[in-house]
């Protein structure tokens, strides 16, 4: 979770010896296994009994010093981003993944056939949102000399990987966001060994955690709240 401070607030903080304490509340925390606030800047109330919410407040002296440092490093910026906490989401297996994958390999001495089935999973998100900039990367060894693929993929000979790019996947996509990627590779040094494939995508407007945030108290306002998630290590084996 990141808070963006407008550059003008630094002058407000530095000219006021006791600025109002900035407090915020994280709601709908039932799916969160642990929450780790930025220990240098944020305090939390460990005694809260309500398991669905958790309150935090800023160390105003520390945040003022930190923002001044950021402004000195980049004085022309109109706002400064501050990481205030990280959290880990509890997993419910394949039901928690926004894009379910299954891979199939058929490896012969001279050819390798690969199929990747994918299925959009709206139930993993609090609000179903589109997955965009989807890229599927499949490594294939065995000395690939030629590739035929549907839909068309790109072969990178230096990295020995096939790349599929899909602009977006959602419930409004063909077949409700389900599809298959297929490729046939001709080999000079086969057979290939089935490998782990990697997937990348981003999604704007929703979260996998269901967590939400609001400010508590007066003195500040939240002008915009953005939600997004993106892949880190997102892989599939056959």
């Amino acid at each position: 979770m990141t808070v963006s401070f407008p550059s003008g607030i630094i002058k407000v903080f530095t000219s006021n010896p006791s600025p109002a304490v900035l407090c915020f509340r994280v709601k709908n925390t039932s799916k969160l296994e642990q929450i780790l606030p930025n220990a240098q800047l944020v305090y939390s109330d460990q005694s809260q009994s309500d398991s669905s919410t958790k309150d935090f407040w800023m160390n105003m002296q520390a945040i003022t010093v930190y923002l001044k440092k950021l402004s000195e490093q980049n004085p022309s910026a109109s706002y400064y981003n501050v990481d205030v906490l990280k959290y880990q989401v509890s997993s419910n297996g394949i039901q928690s993944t926004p894009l379910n994958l299954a891979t199939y390999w058929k490896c012969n001495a001279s050819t390798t056939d690969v199929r990747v089935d994918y299925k959009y999973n709206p139930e993993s998100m609090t609000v179903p949102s589109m997955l965009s900039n989807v890229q599927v990367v499949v490594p294939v060894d065995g000395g690939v000399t030629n590739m035929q693929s549907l839909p068309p993929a790109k072969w990178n000979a230096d990295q020995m990987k096939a790349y599929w790019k899909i602009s977006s996947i959602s419930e409004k996509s063909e077949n409700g966001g389900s599809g298959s990627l297929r490729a046939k590779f001709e080999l000079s040094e086969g057979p290939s060994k089935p490998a782990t494939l990697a997937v990348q995508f981003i999604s704007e407007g929703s979260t996998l955690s269901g967590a939400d945030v609001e400010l508590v108290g007066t003195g500040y306002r939240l002008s915009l709240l953005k939600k997004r998630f993106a892949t880190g290590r997102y892989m599939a084996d056959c």
Side-chain angles (χ1 to χ4, degrees), residues 23-232:
C23 303
F24 62 93
R25 175 174 296 144
V26 180
K27 302 184 296 181
N28 306 328
T29 59
S30 58
K31 287 187 178 181
L32 306 187
E33 290 184 343
Q34 58 178 326
I35 305 176
L36 302 175
N38 184 332
Q40 297 177 322
L41 305 175
V42 179
Y43 299 114
S44 63
D45 186 355
Q46 301 295 335
S47 64
Q48 278 183 261
S49 58
D50 187 351
S51 60
S52 64
T53 65
K54 196 166 183 63
D55 291 351
F56 301 87
W57 57 94
M58 296 280 193
N59 179 328
M60 299 310 296
Q61 182 178 1
I63 194 65
T64 300
V65 171
Y66 185 71
L67 288 172
K68 284 178 64 178
K69 182 179 179 181
L70 292 181
S71 68
E72 292 168 357
Q73 295 172 349
N74 189 4
S76 62
S78 56
Y79 60 88
Y80 299 98
N81 295 329
V82 178
D83 293 333
V84 294
L85 61 84
K86 295 181 179 180
Y87 57 80
Q88 184 168 311
V89 184
S90 58
S91 173
N92 191 21
I94 197 170
Q95 298 177 32
S96 301
T97 56
L99 189 64
N100 297 338
L101 301 162
T103 63
Y104 306 90
W105 292 68
K106 183 179 179 181
C107 301
N108 298 317
S110 59
T111 60
T112 291
D113 293 285
V114 178
R115 189 180 94 222
V116 181
D117 294 342
Y118 61 87
K119 183 179 181 182
Y120 177 76
N121 179 23
E123 295 180 359
S124 66
M125 302 165 236
T126 51
V127 177
S129 59
M130 179 174 63
L131 309 180
S132 57
N133 298 328
V134 183
Q135 181 168 276
V136 179
V137 184
V138 181
V140 183
D141 62 4
V144 174
T145 57
N146 187 45
M147 177 186 71
Q148 296 175 310
S149 57
L150 191 69
K154 289 186 177 180
W155 174 252
N156 186 312
D158 294 333
Q159 299 180 0
M160 297 191 300
K161 293 177 180 178
Y163 291 82
W164 276 275
K165 290 187 177 181
I166 306 171
S167 59
S168 64
I169 300 175
S170 71
E171 287 180 302
K172 296 181 180 179
S173 302
E174 187 177 359
N175 298 320
S178 297
S180 295
L181 311 174
R182 301 171 184 268
K184 186 180 189 69
F185 302 89
E186 297 176 12
L187 311 173
S188 61
E189 302 171 7
S192 304
K193 293 180 181 178
T196 300
L197 65 86
V199 180
Q200 294 179 337
F201 54 79
I202 61 173
S203 183
E204 304 283 353
S206 187
T207 64
L208 302 180
S209 64
D212 214 336
V213 64
E214 66 181 9
L215 295 186
V216 181
T218 60
Y220 303 95
R221 67 182 180 88
L222 192 62
S223 59
L224 179 65
L225 181 61
K226 288 186 176 182
K227 298 179 181 181
R228 72 187 298 268
F229 60 85
T231 49

